[in-house]
Amino acid sequence: YKRQGQTIQLPGVYEVIYDSEDGCDSIVNCVVSVIPPVTSLVVDTLCQGECLAVGDTLLCETGATPVVLESAAGCDSTVTVVLVVLSAEASTPAVQEIDCSQGNSTILEPLTVTPLPDPMAGSSIQYQWFGPGIVSDPDSASIEVNQAGTYIFRVRHTLGDIVCSASDTTIVTIPPIIT
């Protein structure tokens, strides 16, 4: 705080001397108090591709970010935002064939799965396949199928109440038998 050439840095009561236009001095007791900084913590979880707006700041990546805003009293306040961004990505071959010379089934595997099977602490990963001829566990990353048809692969990444998911489709065909 600076007044009449005096710099005041600590809370307390200070005498500030003012010179008037007619040459008289006046002494004002100035009470200086420090307003404590306003700080807060926000923890949030989003799915990849989503963002969180805090003031004029747009947050889209996992991490802790301090954001300075103006408090109700007109002073700076700092909001520290801890953001967790969950990813869920799945891609499968567009078409896959059951090769009858190799047996009467084929293995379907995703080309891309995010996250990998080692999710962040506290989160869970769930795989699910849907389709007409699944002969193995449909809740695993890869499955065995024995029928032509459309198969859907879904991955879900969950943390608390937030569920992020992605899916992709594979068409399984059986080539015609030539005799």
Side-chain angles (χ1 to χ4, degrees), residues 77-178:
S77 68
T78 302
V79 177
T80 300
V81 180
V82 177
L83 186 61
V84 176
V85 178
L86 300 179
S87 62
E89 182 180 336
S91 67
T92 59
V95 177
Q96 190 159 329
E97 197 172 86
I98 293 178
D99 184 352
C100 293
S101 66
Q102 303 285 323
N104 292 327
S105 65
T106 190
I107 303 294
L108 296 182
E109 296 180 306
L111 300 172
T112 306
V113 176
T114 318
L116 299 174
D118 183 20
M120 66 183 67
S123 70
S124 65
I125 305 298
Q126 179 186 29
Y127 304 113
Q128 287 183 301
W129 284 92
F130 305 92
I134 299 171
V135 294
S136 61
D137 180 8
D139 295 332
S140 62
S142 61
I143 58 166
E144 182 179 1
V145 300
N146 65 3
Q147 290 181 30
T150 300
Y151 293 84
I152 300 168
F153 174 67
R154 181 174 66 190
V155 60
R156 293 168 51 118
H157 192 175
T158 304
L159 180 62
D161 294 337
I162 304 298
V163 179
C164 305
S165 65
S167 62
D168 200 12
T169 302
T170 297
I171 297 173
V172 173
T173 61
I174 298 175
I177 298 174
I178 301 173

Side-chain angles (χ1 to χ4, degrees), residues 15-30:
E15 285 187 355
V16 178
I17 301 171
Y18 287 93
D19 295 324
S20 67
E21 291 177 16
D22 58 0
C24 298
D25 292 341
S26 60
I27 298 175
V28 175
N29 286 326
C30 184

Side-chain angles (χ1 to χ4, degrees), residues 22-93:
D22 58 0
C24 298
D25 292 341
S26 60
I27 298 175
V28 175
N29 286 326
C30 184
V31 178
V32 176
S33 58
V34 176
I35 299 172
V38 177
T39 60
S40 59
L41 177 68
V42 173
V43 179
D44 206 351
T45 304
L46 303 174
C47 293
Q48 189 172 9
E50 298 176 343
C51 297
L52 176 67
V54 180
D56 293 333
T57 303
L58 197 59
L59 304 172
C60 305
E61 296 179 12
T62 294
T65 306
V67 179
V68 178
L69 304 168
E70 186 175 308
S71 73
C75 301
D76 286 347
S77 68
T78 302
V79 177
T80 300
V81 180
V82 177
L83 186 61
V84 176
V85 178
L86 300 179
S87 62
E89 182 180 336
S91 67
T92 59

